Amino acid sequence: MAEAAASPADTAAIDDQEPQREAVPDLESQRRQIENGENGRGRPLQVGESWFLVGQHWYKQWEVYVQGGDQDSSTFPGCINNAELFEDQVNWRLKKELVEGEDYVLLPAAAWHYLVNWYGLEHGQPPIERKVVELPSIHKVEVYPVELVLVQHSDMDTPHTAQFSQTDSVDLVLQTAREQFLVSPQEETRLWIRNAEGSFERLCNTRVTVLDASLKTGQVKLVVMETRNKDGTWPSVQPHVTSSTLEEEEDFQGQPGICGLTNLGNTCFMNSALQCLSNVPQLTEYFLKNQYVEELNFCNPLGMKGEIAQAYADLVKQAWSGHHRSIVPQMFKTKVGHFASQFLGYQQHDSQELLSFLLDGLHEDLNRVKKKEYVELCDAAGRPDQEVAQEAWQNHKRRNDSVIVDTFHGLFKSTLVCPNCGNVSVTFDPFCYLSVPLPVSHKRVMEVFFVSMDPRRKPEQHRLVVPKKGKISDLCVALAKHTGISPERMMVADVFSHRFYKIYQLEESLSSILDRDDIFIYEVSGRTAVGENSREDVVLPIYLRERTPARDYDSSYYGLMLFGHPLLVSVPRDRLSWDSLYHILLYRLSRYVTRPSSDDEDDGDEKADLEDKDSLPKPGHVTEGSSQDPGLEQAGPSSGVVSGSRAPVDNSPGPSHWPQRARRKHLFTLQTVNSNGTSDRSTFNEDTYAQPYIAIDWEPEMKKRYYDEVEAEGYVKHDCVGYVLKKAPVRLQECIELFTTVETLEKENPWYCPTCKQHQLATKKLDLWMLPETLIIHLKRFSYTKFSREKLDTLVEFPIRDLDFSEFVIKPQNDSAPELYKYDLIAVSNHYGGLRDGHYTTFACNKDSGQWHYFDDSSVSPVTENQIESKAAYVLFYQRQDVVRRLQTQASSSKPPASSACGAPPKSEFMDVN
């Protein structure tokens, strides 16, 4: 810093730098030393050195004096007098637009001190010292430094003006402000500058120069220093709370770290990840002690300009201030959405995905490597594992060196074997967390509704256990065990919105059926070999429709609305007519459709009733046949035929063989429709294999009178619905073993073998070589395939203490330090619910008290250790035991002993979260 007006202390400092007083040399010697000597005016400028301004009038007088050669001459200049360069004699501010060679000359420090020694400086005048700065393509003495007005955020009415060189760092500005406003070393501060538009911008990077920070010469800039509040907030950030709540928070004093996070709208995933990370002791201490400030990387193209690290630091400082019951992470949410668009808005996301983004963002924002060098990855090529692993880790650290690497990064050994030539490729790769698979059951539970051909039986709900990679036929076989109906007499359909979304073939995969689908399995007439005289049945899909008041549309189907459950009905093809079909359907609907009474007859004798529904012939033995002949007789508004191998045959007497009876009034009409049931089809093409769909159309009055909607929707639950497929719990160690099991690469991800010179489906094995201080284990509960998505709710049993990895780490081990392979649990991210929705919470152990707490957004409650293990556990955080002991030693040396980290909690009120 260089000031226009030097204080007495500054003058004293300059005096200290002066050469010891000596005899004044002769005038010619003076001229040579000042003009031409190695420390004279003619020497080149060097960046950072000091030069001094001398008034042109005095210097010209001195030149006349020394050139005259007479020390007693009347041209003696007297004391150095720069009064003509100053605007006033109080602030000693330089006049504007002074010109070198006209108003002043520049002298290097040594020449200046010689002149002051020989002639003295006018009493009270400060020396005018200026620095040489390096500007683009030129070195220049900075005559006019940058003038800044410094104020405190808490006291904008007390400014302090200071001048700085363009090459001074912004950190010097900050330190000057701290000294001026007497800020204690423990307090954290930051700077804001008012721009030309009148708004304020943060000076985030204090390592840049005043010039790089765009604090230009000739403009007086207002710089505001802000001091962080005791509760971790900044005065300039308005808290998202009411005034009454703010007053309560100011008086609140609780355990640091026991602080909830407000749910901003589906942000429980973010809150859970943040609570887990906040309870990693060494990472939190790193931020609380402001170690991150010196390591912020503002120029990393892979980073986020330090903004994610600073936003996270603000959150940690607030949560661990002990002054908040809960805080609103709005600013952090905004920063995350800015740098990761997938987290914009308020949709539900995955806590592990947010955690992965956050760890990567913090690493790049805090990467100590400012310029990443190119590193070529090398294969083992037969070298010892120790050598290759050390080389891989050193290469990783040459590009990646941060607190995140120090805390969370470990090393894999990856072994690929070519199935063709046997070539073995060994590489060592860093990791930040382990994503371990859960042992997957090969069985699947599916819920279906069985619809019998007997109209008296209500649909039955069944819960069936089938092979996960099975076929539709396996579903029918499983149902046959419950119903006694042959699988050959079943058809499977997906029903959606009162229509058949899909009718499945027996060879189709069960993976195409999602858990949310409504699956109906219909009993139809059976199938046998086709004989010359065999008769086949047509399986007709039947929809129910109701006529609605006419609308102003040309198409008639707009006046028909689907309702109820569709049916699949077997009808003998060779005797199929609209009249007989009407009676067959009336029979199939008889459980919830009332037959007209005699008063409703249109014609015929009362005694000429149709037989009671119980006496109607029931479908008998069924054989399979092929359909080659036209089926529907021209007896209705439309006709059609169908060809297909799936049409069953009924050998029992059909409706055309029933006794002719007097007609009753028809309750409904029949119409051929398309598969959606929304438009009529007047004809069928005999050459196609299109399935005829039939709609039962009801008039509103007839439906109201004869159709029992409550009975139609009724169903019963089979005993199997009460059964639950019990999943045996698995140990965490089993998941880790599964992670290190040899697997064959998938077709979509082959490996290029350098020996075969082609892609191969190689075998791959991952082994653990080196484990980090804090190990994050992600349980892969969410399974995604081409046709299915599911969440595995298997209970994973994980230890709270002494998780031993010695059997999994293949690096030669140090037997004298077993704690290097043992871990203690410190946090758990939980997910309750299914794939579409759910809720995230956190269990975490406080680093200071050793007490476990349950974090549910803004709510925090103490819990016991036996409540931590549950089916909801999703991401586990483990701390290596040697780190636990190191942190305990550090804590005990700086403050009174606390209970052991994550040890037995003190007695208190606990909440049950399971």
Side-chain angles (χ1 to χ4, degrees):
M1 180 181 74
E3 300 203 8
S7 65
D10 295 330
T11 305
I14 293 171
D15 292 341
D16 290 340
Q17 300 171 6
E18 296 178 3
Q20 295 296 321
R21 283 196 176 273
E22 55 187 32
V24 179
D26 61 74
L27 297 183
E28 179 58 25
S29 297
Q30 290 184 37
R31 188 187 67 79
R32 286 198 303 269
Q33 289 187 48
I34 300 302
E35 294 284 351
N36 303 318
E38 62 179 77
N39 292 318
R41 284 184 63 194
R43 58 164 294 176
L45 300 175
Q46 295 182 7
V47 175
E49 66 180 1
S50 295
W51 286 60
F52 290 80
L53 275 70
V54 177
Q56 180 80 3
H57 178 78
W58 185 92
Y59 190 78
K60 286 295 182 183
Q61 183 70 22
W62 172 81
E63 284 185 324
V64 171
Y65 173 64
V66 295
Q67 288 171 2
D70 183 3
Q71 291 188 346
D72 298 324
S73 171
S74 60
T75 58
F76 179 74
C79 293
I80 300 172
N81 190 346
N82 290 328
E84 59 188 11
L85 302 181
F86 296 109
E87 286 185 347
D88 58 70
Q89 307 291 314
V90 179
N91 295 318
W92 301 103
R93 188 187 303 275
L94 277 185
K95 292 178 179 178
K96 295 181 180 179
E97 300 180 358
L98 295 176
V99 179
E100 183 181 3
E102 295 182 10
D103 302 307
Y104 65 88
V105 294
L106 288 168
L107 296 177
W112 163 260
H113 293 314
Y114 284 136
L115 288 179
V116 172
N117 238 345
W118 301 334
Y119 299 95
L121 179 63
E122 189 72 26
H123 179 71
Q125 279 189 16
I128 309 175
E129 179 184 4
R130 294 295 184 262
K131 295 285 187 181
V132 177
V133 297
E134 183 178 11
L135 299 177
S137 72
I138 188 173
H139 292 175
K140 179 182 179 181
V141 176
E142 188 179 32
V143 175
Y144 290 99
V146 178
E147 189 171 281
L148 300 177
V149 178
L150 308 177
V151 295
Q152 290 190 90
H153 184 274
S154 58
D155 184 12
M156 302 284 283
D157 297 328
T158 309
H160 171 73
T161 302
Q163 292 181 330
F164 300 88
S165 167
Q166 295 183 73
T167 59
D168 287 337
S169 68
V170 174
D171 185 62
L172 179 60
V173 179
L174 178 60
Q175 297 307 320
T176 302
R178 290 177 65 97
E179 293 171 7
Q180 175 63 33
F181 300 122
L182 305 177
V183 177
S184 67
Q186 294 75 26
E187 293 185 285
E188 189 177 352
T189 54
R190 64 183 185 181
L191 296 178
W192 296 80
I193 185 168
R194 186 167 61 186
N195 58 28
E197 289 76 27
S199 58
F200 286 87
E201 297 176 1
R202 274 277 314 279
L203 291 174
C204 297
N205 188 358
T206 59
R207 293 190 287 271
V208 299
T209 64
V210 169
L211 176 63
D212 292 336
S214 300
L215 304 178
K216 298 178 181 178
T217 303
Q219 298 179 5
V220 179
K221 294 276 190 175
L222 178 65
V223 176
V224 180
M225 185 187 70
E226 184 181 20
T227 305
R228 190 189 290 272
N229 297 325
K230 291 182 179 180
D231 65 355
T233 61
W234 292 102
S236 61
V237 179
Q238 294 296 325
H240 295 74
V241 292
T242 61
S243 57
S244 59
T245 307
L246 188 59
E247 292 175 2
E248 293 177 8
E249 292 286 329
E250 288 177 353
D251 299 332
F252 178 75
Q253 183 63 51
Q255 171 70 46
I258 310 304
C259 176
L261 296 172
T262 300
N263 193 322
L264 305 174
N266 283 331
T267 57
C268 56
F269 74 95
M270 181 182 76
N271 294 346
S272 178
L274 288 172
Q275 293 289 13
C276 287
L277 211 55
S278 171
N279 283 279
V280 176
Q282 63 269 46
L283 183 64
T284 294
E285 286 296 320
Y286 171 84
F287 281 98
L288 292 180
K289 293 178 179 178
N290 290 333
Q291 293 172 274
Y292 76 99
V293 175
E294 295 301 319
E295 296 186 346
L296 285 169
N297 191 333
F298 297 99
C299 56
N300 186 352
L302 300 178
M304 296 156 199
K305 302 178 182 177
E307 293 185 35
I308 284 293
Q310 290 175 316
Y312 179 74
D314 288 346
L315 212 62
V316 168
K317 287 176 179 291
Q318 293 177 50
W320 288 85
S321 68
H323 291 282
H324 300 282
R325 292 182 175 86
S326 68
I327 55 180
V328 183
Q330 183 66 59
M331 183 59 69
F332 181 82
K333 169 73 171 62
T334 302
K335 292 292 184 185
V336 168
H338 176 72
F339 290 105
S341 58
Q342 67 267 34
F343 297 116
L344 275 173
Y346 297 93
Q347 299 298 316
Q348 181 64 277
H349 292 280
D350 190 312
S351 67
Q352 189 271 332
E353 291 178 2
L354 187 278
L355 185 67
S356 176
F357 160 77
L358 183 54
L359 288 173
D360 186 61
L362 289 175
H363 160 63
E364 296 295 357
D365 271 2
L366 299 168
N367 199 344
R368 302 172 188 121
V369 179
K370 306 307 179 187
K371 186 176 181 180
K372 295 189 177 186
E373 57 182 304
Y374 173 75
V375 175
E376 185 175 355
L377 299 178
C378 298
D379 195 81
R383 294 180 293 162
D385 282 353
Q386 287 273 37
E387 177 186 336
V388 181
Q390 184 176 3
E391 178 187 84
W393 184 249
Q394 288 175 348
N395 287 342
H396 179 58
K397 292 277 284 185
R398 283 162 63 186
R399 292 174 55 86
N400 304 279
D401 185 14
S402 70
V403 66
I404 301 301
V405 175
D406 299 341
T407 307
F408 298 104
H409 282 206
L411 205 61
F412 283 141
K413 177 186 177 183
S414 175
T415 306
L416 288 162
V417 180
C418 177
N420 186 41
C421 67
N423 176 42
V424 179
S425 171
V426 175
T427 57
F428 288 82
D429 305 302
F431 68 88
C432 190
Y433 50 84
L434 297 181
S435 286
V436 299
L438 273 61
V440 179
S441 170
H442 297 293
K443 297 292 184 180
R444 175 183 177 185
V445 177
M446 299 182 66
E447 289 190 357
V448 301
F449 288 92
F450 173 66
V451 181
S452 171
M453 289 180 66
D454 184 351
R456 294 168 297 185
R457 292 177 58 184
K458 292 183 178 181
E460 291 178 345
Q461 185 183 18
H462 290 256
R463 182 170 289 169
L464 307 176
V465 179
V466 294
K468 186 168 286 186
K469 296 184 178 180
K471 300 180 179 180
I472 297 295
S473 57
D474 295 312
L475 190 63
C476 296
V477 170
L479 181 61
K481 296 177 182 178
H482 293 185
T483 62
I485 303 298
S486 169
E488 297 295 313
R489 299 179 59 187
M490 296 180 184
M491 289 184 69
V492 181
D494 181 356
V495 175
F496 175 73
S497 190
H498 312 295
R499 58 174 62 89
F500 290 115
Y501 182 76
K502 183 175 182 180
I503 298 176
Y504 292 96
Q505 301 297 317
L506 294 176
E507 296 305 311
E508 289 189 67
S509 172
L510 286 175
S511 61
S512 61
I513 298 179
L514 305 181
D515 290 337
R516 65 175 182 267
D517 293 341
D518 291 324
I519 302 301
F520 283 71
I521 300 182
Y522 296 87
E523 180 189 3
V524 295
S525 52
R527 299 180 291 177
T528 61
V530 180
E532 204 173 285
N533 299 318
S534 66
R535 295 177 302 162
E536 63 172 357
D537 278 11
V538 177
V539 178
L540 295 178
I542 307 296
Y543 291 154
L544 297 171
R545 302 193 301 183
E546 178 183 6
R547 296 190 183 280
T548 55
R551 303 181 185 179
D552 296 331
Y553 297 103
D554 294 334
S555 301
S556 59
Y557 73 88
Y558 282 106
L560 293 163
M561 296 291 293
L562 290 169
F563 70 93
H565 298 299
L567 294 171
L568 289 177
V569 178
S570 300
V571 180
R573 172 185 285 279
D574 60 348
R575 295 184 300 273
L576 184 59
S577 68
W578 290 104
D579 188 58
S580 59
L581 178 59
Y582 172 83
H583 290 288
I584 291 174
L585 295 178
L586 188 61
Y587 168 67
R588 285 297 300 268
L589 303 177
S590 59
R591 180 172 58 84
Y592 45 89
V593 173
T594 307
R595 294 194 308 116
S597 65
S598 58
D599 295 335
D600 297 326
E601 291 181 4
D602 283 341
D603 60 315
D605 190 357
E606 285 185 6
K607 296 180 181 180
D609 265 348
L610 286 171
E611 292 181 5
D612 185 82
K613 63 183 178 185
D614 292 335
S615 65
L616 285 174
K618 297 178 175 55
H621 178 68
V622 181
T623 59
E624 181 181 28
S626 63
S627 55
Q628 304 293 334
D629 302 323
L632 288 176
E633 300 174 11
Q634 300 296 330
S638 63
S639 61
V641 294
V642 65
S643 298
S645 61
R646 191 160 186 170
V649 170
D650 191 350
N651 289 329
S652 63
S656 60
H657 288 183
W658 298 345
Q660 295 300 315
R661 302 294 177 132
R663 269 191 169 179
R664 289 188 178 278
K665 180 179 182 180
H666 278 201
L667 303 182
F668 47 78
T669 59
L670 303 177
Q671 181 69 47
T672 53
V673 293
N674 63 13
S675 59
N676 287 326
T678 54
S679 63
D680 298 333
R681 291 166 52 160
S682 58
T683 60
F684 285 99
N685 186 340
E686 294 186 17
D687 295 330
T688 68
Y689 289 83
Q691 178 76 43
Y693 286 76
I694 306 297
I696 298 175
D697 292 342
W698 290 81
E699 296 292 341
E701 185 61 33
M702 298 297 283
K703 176 175 176 284
K704 181 178 179 182
R705 187 171 180 181
Y706 297 107
Y707 187 90
D708 187 343
E709 292 195 42
V710 176
E711 182 64 24
E713 296 295 324
Y715 68 95
V716 295
K717 292 185 178 182
H718 189 268
D719 292 342
C720 64
V721 175
Y723 302 157
V724 178
L725 182 64
K726 292 185 177 180
K727 298 181 180 179
V730 299
R731 296 167 58 245
L732 178 60
Q733 289 85 340
E734 295 177 53
C735 301
I736 300 170
E737 286 176 4
L738 200 58
F739 175 79
T740 58
T741 302
V742 177
E743 62 177 358
T744 302
L745 297 179
E746 298 178 349
K747 292 182 179 179
E748 296 79 12
N749 186 31
W751 170 65
Y752 183 79
C753 176
T755 304
C756 299
K757 305 296 183 183
Q758 60 183 356
H759 288 89
Q760 301 285 359
L761 299 182
T763 59
K764 181 179 181 179
K765 188 178 191 303
L766 290 177
D767 290 296
L768 301 177
W769 180 265
M770 182 178 71
L771 295 179
E773 292 185 353
T774 301
L775 179 62
I776 303 174
I777 302 177
H778 165 224
L779 304 177
K780 297 172 71 173
R781 290 195 177 276
F782 297 104
S783 173
Y784 301 95
T785 65
K786 184 177 181 181
F787 294 106
S788 65
R789 302 169 61 193
E790 64 176 330
K791 181 192 175 186
L792 306 176
D793 60 355
T794 307
L795 175 64
V796 178
E797 298 175 338
F798 51 89
I800 305 297
R801 296 180 191 81
D802 297 326
L803 174 60
D804 192 350
F805 273 89
S806 57
E807 62 178 298
F808 299 109
V809 176
I810 64 170
K811 179 181 179 180
Q813 300 180 15
N814 183 356
D815 296 333
S816 62
E819 69 273 7
L820 294 176
Y821 310 101
K822 289 187 177 181
Y823 286 78
D824 294 339
L825 188 71
I826 57 173
V828 181
S829 175
N830 305 300
H831 179 266
Y832 300 92
L835 282 172
R836 291 189 169 186
D837 50 22
H839 184 58
Y840 288 91
T841 64
T842 299
F843 290 112
C845 177
N846 185 273
K847 68 180 181 66
D848 298 331
S849 67
Q851 167 71 58
W852 280 91
H853 286 80
Y854 181 65
F855 297 83
D856 184 359
D857 288 332
S858 56
S859 172
V860 185
S861 302
V863 292
T864 56
E865 290 184 0
N866 58 12
Q867 294 175 273
I868 297 170
E869 186 180 278
S870 74
K871 292 181 179 180
Y874 182 44
V875 183
L876 311 175
F877 283 67
Y878 277 94
Q879 185 89 302
R880 207 168 63 204
Q881 288 186 351
D882 67 310
V883 180
V884 174
R885 293 188 177 91
R886 184 187 75 205
L887 294 172
Q888 288 176 352
T889 302
Q890 293 173 354
S892 62
S893 63
S894 60
K895 58 185 177 183
S899 57
S900 61
C902 305
K907 293 181 179 180
S908 63
E909 294 293 328
F910 300 105
M911 68 170 289
D912 184 5
V913 296
N914 293 324

